[in-house]
């Protein structure tokens, strides 16, 4: 190390030490910092103490509520819990005498993900339902009470809690022939115990929504706390983010705790009061649950006991046609729109699914066909419907392809970058003379996009695909792994789905085919720009793989088949198109237009007019700049 290097290091060290000494805090600053730290610590301590006080108040309030209930229903606070089961061919509903409400629901004839014959929608540890009444002095919570069952049959039961001195709470249940159950809450001999302003009963309803299907993350996308506003449409809490105590300002007709294929729905005879509080919290995959739901509701209550508080419950599958029939089984005569639990997409895509896909799907399903075959037939029908548009798009591309040599010859003098506008104008003029619109092939292809998006919404919500096998696919409603590993990794998860791989590979091949076709019609710089687009077109299938690897095999299979048919149609059109004959037709049109120059119409003519206008504006700007420079000089 030489002398200059040593001197340099010494100077750097001196500067750093001097800078540190110069910027050190003064005694006053150190004292202020210490006071700030002590203040923050005191605030934290104060907040912790306030939290303890608040928790103590809550505990005391709960204890007081139990004491209040004890004072009025002391004889109903003790007992032995027993179960009463209401059942039919569709569902088995278990009610407990402790609380008098539903504790378990089994939906029959739908296998669960473990292969059992029926699906347990929830059990006593997963769902809670509590009716709370606020009196002048005493508060009543039904979950604290033991009820006595009477009039018990397979479809009916009356639960009664004895309050002494002729006072009682009575909850009656009537199970219908399918998945609908009617409920009535009524009090007897308790009119003087409630305030004259008491006309509402509070309903605290909560559920840990169980994972029912194989793919947790995919099913979680379709598990939503859904509700219907009175006199309006349905809405739901965001399925991916936490929503805690979300206030709904409008009155509600019903609230549903929904997973992908099954729902528990509570329907009010009048309505649930405005400012309902709803909560939806997504759960981790390791818990075995999808969401934690909670609804804090209020509906009408008659303290005199003359009128009952009536509700209806639906426990069953999210089947569009079945849910439409629920309105007819309901006693309330309301327009429930419960079929909206089957999400069919935004208005345009919903219209396609509602009035086409559903009818064709139901018709093919009733024919007893395998669900994989049904998807293939639906795809084929859609391709036949859109074939005229696809052919129009292809023929537009074919016209541009056969005109490419003429376009290159007509525009070869415009090879400089500054001649780009003149070149484009010359191309537009030539297109117009030949009666060709370069954009006429785009619109038909865009029209097909809503069908793809509509099927993206339809297939994952079609309960008919649940548990259905096809070829190597064991269940069309979930992913079909060719390999699985125990640990989940970012972006790819814990498996590889074969249908997703087929979809992505076919997407790459189809992109190559379409890019080659477009390249054949590009002129000059367009061909160079096409190289950049190629990388984007090849990158999209890679992105799709990471997105769709966790999606249902039915959806990936549909996209794979759709691309297969699209490629087959394009290949057939290419083989059956006579380029020489097509060019002869265009030449005849060119001669006709050349003899009648005014006979130019369509998009190409409008584009040409716009470009001429832009060119004229550019010329005027340049002329104005020249004049300014002349005046300055």
């Amino acid at each position: 190390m030489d002398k200059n290097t040593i001197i340099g290091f010494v100077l750097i060290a001196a500067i750093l030490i001097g800078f540190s000494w110069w910027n050190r805090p003064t005694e006053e600053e150190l004292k202020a910092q210490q006071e700030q730290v002590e203040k923050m610590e005191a605030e934290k301590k104060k907040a912790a103490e306030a939290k303890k006080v608040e928790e103590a108040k809550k505990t005391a309030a709960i204890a007081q509520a139990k004491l209040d209930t004890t004072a009025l229903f002391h004889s109903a606070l003790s007992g032995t819990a027993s179960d009463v089961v209401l059942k039919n061919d569709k569902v088995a509903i278990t009610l407990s005498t402790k609380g008098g409400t539903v504790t378990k629901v089994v939906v029959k004839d739908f296998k669960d993900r473990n292969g059992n014959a029926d699906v347990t929608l929830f059990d006593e540890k997963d769902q809670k339902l509590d009716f709370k009444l606020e009196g002048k002095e005493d508060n009543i919570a039904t979950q604290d009470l033991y009820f006595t069952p009477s009039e018990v049959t397979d479809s009916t039961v009356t639960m009664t809690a004895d309050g002494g001195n002729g006072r009682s709470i009575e909850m009656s249940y009537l199970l219908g022939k399918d998945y609908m159950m009617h409920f009535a809450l009524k009090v007897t001999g308790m009119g003087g115990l409630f305030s004259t302003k008491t006309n509402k009963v509070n309903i605290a309803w909560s559920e840990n929504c169980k994972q029912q299907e194989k793919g947790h993350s995919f099913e979680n996308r379709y598990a939503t706390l859904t509700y219907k506003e009175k006199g309006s449409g349905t809405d739901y809490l965001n399925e991916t983010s936490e929503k805690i105590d979300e206030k709904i300002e409008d009155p509600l007709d019903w609230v549903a705790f929904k997973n992908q294929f099954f729902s528990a729905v509570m329907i009010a005879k009048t309505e649930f009061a405005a400012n309902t509080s709803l909560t939806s919290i997504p759960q981790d995959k390791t818990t075995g649950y999808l969401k934690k739901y909670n609804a804090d509701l209020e509906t009408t209550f008659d303290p005199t006991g003359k009128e009952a508080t009536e509700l209806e419950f639906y426990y069953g599958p999210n089947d569009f046609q079945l849910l439409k029939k629920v309105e007819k089984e309901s006693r309330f005569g309301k327009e429930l729109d419960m079929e909206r639990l089957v999400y069919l997409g935004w208005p345009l895509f919903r219209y396609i699914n509602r009035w086409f896909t559903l009818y064709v799907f139901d018709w093919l399903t009733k024919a007893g066909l395998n669900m994989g075959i049904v998807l293939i037939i639906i795809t084929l029908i859609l391709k036949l419907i859109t074939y005229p548009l696809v052919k129009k798009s292809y023929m537009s591309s074919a016209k541009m392809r056969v005109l490419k040599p003429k376009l290159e010859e007509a525009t070869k003098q415009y090879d400089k970058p500054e001649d780009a506008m003149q070149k484009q104008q010359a191309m537009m003029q030539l297109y117009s003379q030949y009666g060709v619109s370069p954009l006429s092939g785009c619109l038909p292809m865009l029209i097909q996009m809503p069908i793809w998006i509509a099927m993206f919404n339809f297939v994952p919500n079609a309960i008919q695909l649940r548990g259905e096998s096809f070829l190597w696919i064991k269940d069309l409603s979930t992913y079909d792994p060719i390999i699985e590993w125990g640990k989940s990794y970012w972006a790819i998860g814990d498996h590889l789905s074969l249908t997703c791989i087929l979809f992505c590979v076919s997407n790459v091949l189809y992109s190559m085919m379409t890019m080659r076709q477009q390249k054949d019609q590009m002129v000059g710089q367009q061909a160079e720009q096409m190289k950049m687009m190629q990388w984007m077109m090849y990158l999209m299938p890679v992105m799709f793989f990471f997105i769709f690897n966790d999606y249902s095999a039915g959806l990936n299979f549909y996209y794979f088949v759709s691309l297969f048919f699209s490629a087959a149609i394009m290949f057939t059109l290419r083989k059956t198109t006579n380029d020489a004959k097509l060019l002869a037709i265009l030449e005849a049109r060119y001669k006709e237009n050349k003899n009648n120059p005014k006979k130019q119409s369509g998009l190409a003519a409008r584009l040409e007019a716009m470009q001429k206008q832009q060119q004229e504006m550019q010329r005027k700007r340049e002329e104005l700049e020249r004049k300014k420079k002349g005046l300055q000089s």
Side-chain angles (χ1 to χ4, degrees), residues 168-180:
S168 65
I169 298 176
E170 184 178 281
M171 296 193 292
S172 301
Y173 296 88
L174 172 61
L175 178 61
K177 61 181 180 179
D178 290 322
Y179 303 95
M180 199 76 152

mmCIF file of all heavy atoms in Angstrom, residues 168-180:
data_model
loop_
_atom_site.group_PDB
_atom_site.id
_atom_site.type_symbol
_atom_site.label_atom_id
_atom_site.label_comp_id
_atom_site.label_asym_id
_atom_site.label_seq_id
_atom_site.Cartn_x
_atom_site.Cartn_y
_atom_site.Cartn_z
ATOM 1 N N SER A 168 -93.872 -18.926 27.413
ATOM 2 C CA SER A 168 -93.087 -19.900 26.636
ATOM 3 C C SER A 168 -92.618 -19.281 25.323
ATOM 4 O O SER A 168 -93.181 -18.295 24.848
ATOM 5 C CB SER A 168 -93.908 -21.159 26.354
ATOM 6 O OG SER A 168 -95.021 -20.845 25.522
ATOM 7 N N ILE A 169 -91.566 -19.911 24.787
ATOM 8 C CA ILE A 169 -91.090 -19.601 23.429
ATOM 9 C C ILE A 169 -91.266 -20.870 22.600
ATOM 10 O O ILE A 169 -90.850 -21.949 23.010
ATOM 11 C CB ILE A 169 -89.610 -19.179 23.431
ATOM 12 C CG1 ILE A 169 -89.407 -17.909 24.257
ATOM 13 C CG2 ILE A 169 -89.115 -18.953 21.999
ATOM 14 C CD1 ILE A 169 -87.961 -17.492 24.384
ATOM 15 N N GLU A 170 -91.884 -20.700 21.462
ATOM 16 C CA GLU A 170 -92.209 -21.860 20.614
ATOM 17 C C GLU A 170 -91.607 -21.663 19.234
ATOM 18 O O GLU A 170 -91.788 -20.618 18.607
ATOM 19 C CB GLU A 170 -93.729 -21.988 20.520
ATOM 20 C CG GLU A 170 -94.205 -23.207 19.748
ATOM 21 C CD GLU A 170 -95.723 -23.297 19.740
ATOM 22 O OE1 GLU A 170 -96.294 -23.738 20.752
ATOM 23 O OE2 GLU A 170 -96.322 -22.884 18.728
ATOM 24 N N MET A 171 -90.842 -22.670 18.773
ATOM 25 C CA MET A 171 -90.251 -22.644 17.435
ATOM 26 C C MET A 171 -90.722 -23.878 16.679
ATOM 27 O O MET A 171 -90.477 -25.010 17.109
ATOM 28 C CB MET A 171 -88.720 -22.611 17.517
ATOM 29 C CG MET A 171 -88.197 -21.333 18.175
ATOM 30 S SD MET A 171 -86.414 -21.060 17.988
ATOM 31 C CE MET A 171 -85.761 -22.382 18.983
ATOM 32 N N SER A 172 -91.426 -23.647 15.566
ATOM 33 C CA SER A 172 -92.015 -24.730 14.783
ATOM 34 C C SER A 172 -91.274 -24.891 13.461
ATOM 35 O O SER A 172 -90.925 -23.896 12.806
ATOM 36 C CB SER A 172 -93.496 -24.442 14.510
ATOM 37 O OG SER A 172 -94.209 -24.295 15.721
ATOM 38 N N TYR A 173 -91.060 -26.159 13.073
ATOM 39 C CA TYR A 173 -90.367 -26.471 11.829
ATOM 40 C C TYR A 173 -91.229 -27.376 10.958
ATOM 41 O O TYR A 173 -91.881 -28.305 11.459
ATOM 42 C CB TYR A 173 -89.039 -27.179 12.113
ATOM 43 C CG TYR A 173 -88.025 -26.341 12.857
ATOM 44 C CD1 TYR A 173 -88.002 -26.309 14.252
ATOM 45 C CD2 TYR A 173 -87.078 -25.588 12.168
ATOM 46 C CE1 TYR A 173 -87.065 -25.549 14.937
ATOM 47 C CE2 TYR A 173 -86.139 -24.828 12.844
ATOM 48 C CZ TYR A 173 -86.137 -24.812 14.221
ATOM 49 O OH TYR A 173 -85.217 -24.057 14.894
ATOM 50 N N LEU A 174 -91.222 -27.109 9.651
ATOM 51 C CA LEU A 174 -91.927 -27.955 8.684
ATOM 52 C C LEU A 174 -91.027 -28.140 7.464
ATOM 53 O O LEU A 174 -90.740 -27.177 6.736
ATOM 54 C CB LEU A 174 -93.252 -27.317 8.268
ATOM 55 C CG LEU A 174 -94.004 -28.014 7.120
ATOM 56 C CD1 LEU A 174 -94.372 -29.448 7.501
ATOM 57 C CD2 LEU A 174 -95.246 -27.224 6.725
ATOM 58 N N LEU A 175 -90.557 -29.367 7.243
ATOM 59 C CA LEU A 175 -89.692 -29.687 6.107
ATOM 60 C C LEU A 175 -90.541 -30.027 4.898
ATOM 61 O O LEU A 175 -91.460 -30.844 4.965
ATOM 62 C CB LEU A 175 -88.777 -30.866 6.456
ATOM 63 C CG LEU A 175 -87.837 -31.355 5.350
ATOM 64 C CD1 LEU A 175 -86.865 -30.264 4.924
ATOM 65 C CD2 LEU A 175 -87.086 -32.602 5.808
ATOM 66 N N GLY A 176 -90.255 -29.389 3.762
ATOM 67 C CA GLY A 176 -90.972 -29.652 2.523
ATOM 68 C C GLY A 176 -90.500 -30.921 1.847
ATOM 69 O O GLY A 176 -89.729 -31.712 2.407
ATOM 70 N N LYS A 177 -90.930 -31.097 0.605
ATOM 71 C CA LYS A 177 -90.615 -32.334 -0.116
ATOM 72 C C LYS A 177 -89.189 -32.342 -0.674
ATOM 73 O O LYS A 177 -88.673 -33.400 -1.019
ATOM 74 C CB LYS A 177 -91.611 -32.549 -1.251
ATOM 75 C CG LYS A 177 -91.601 -31.444 -2.288
ATOM 76 C CD LYS A 177 -92.641 -31.716 -3.370
ATOM 77 C CE LYS A 177 -92.629 -30.596 -4.430
ATOM 78 N NZ LYS A 177 -93.625 -30.858 -5.490
ATOM 79 N N ASP A 178 -88.586 -31.154 -0.751
ATOM 80 C CA ASP A 178 -87.233 -31.086 -1.304
ATOM 81 C C ASP A 178 -86.248 -30.559 -0.252
ATOM 82 O O ASP A 178 -85.997 -31.220 0.731
ATOM 83 C CB ASP A 178 -87.214 -30.206 -2.565
ATOM 84 C CG ASP A 178 -87.937 -30.864 -3.722
ATOM 85 O OD1 ASP A 178 -87.807 -32.087 -3.865
ATOM 86 O OD2 ASP A 178 -88.621 -30.160 -4.476
ATOM 87 N N TYR A 179 -85.727 -29.370 -0.492
ATOM 88 C CA TYR A 179 -84.671 -28.824 0.368
ATOM 89 C C TYR A 179 -85.137 -27.621 1.184
ATOM 90 O O TYR A 179 -84.331 -26.991 1.847
ATOM 91 C CB TYR A 179 -83.467 -28.401 -0.486
ATOM 92 C CG TYR A 179 -82.906 -29.521 -1.332
ATOM 93 C CD1 TYR A 179 -83.298 -29.681 -2.660
ATOM 94 C CD2 TYR A 179 -81.987 -30.423 -0.809
ATOM 95 C CE1 TYR A 179 -82.782 -30.705 -3.442
ATOM 96 C CE2 TYR A 179 -81.465 -31.442 -1.581
ATOM 97 C CZ TYR A 179 -81.870 -31.581 -2.897
ATOM 98 O OH TYR A 179 -81.361 -32.602 -3.669
ATOM 99 N N MET A 180 -86.435 -27.322 1.144
ATOM 100 C CA MET A 180 -86.960 -26.120 1.781
ATOM 101 C C MET A 180 -87.597 -26.456 3.125
ATOM 102 O O MET A 180 -88.346 -27.439 3.242
ATOM 103 C CB MET A 180 -88.000 -25.471 0.866
ATOM 104 C CG MET A 180 -88.277 -24.042 1.179
ATOM 105 S SD MET A 180 -86.947 -22.978 0.614
ATOM 106 C CE MET A 180 -87.875 -21.478 0.336
#
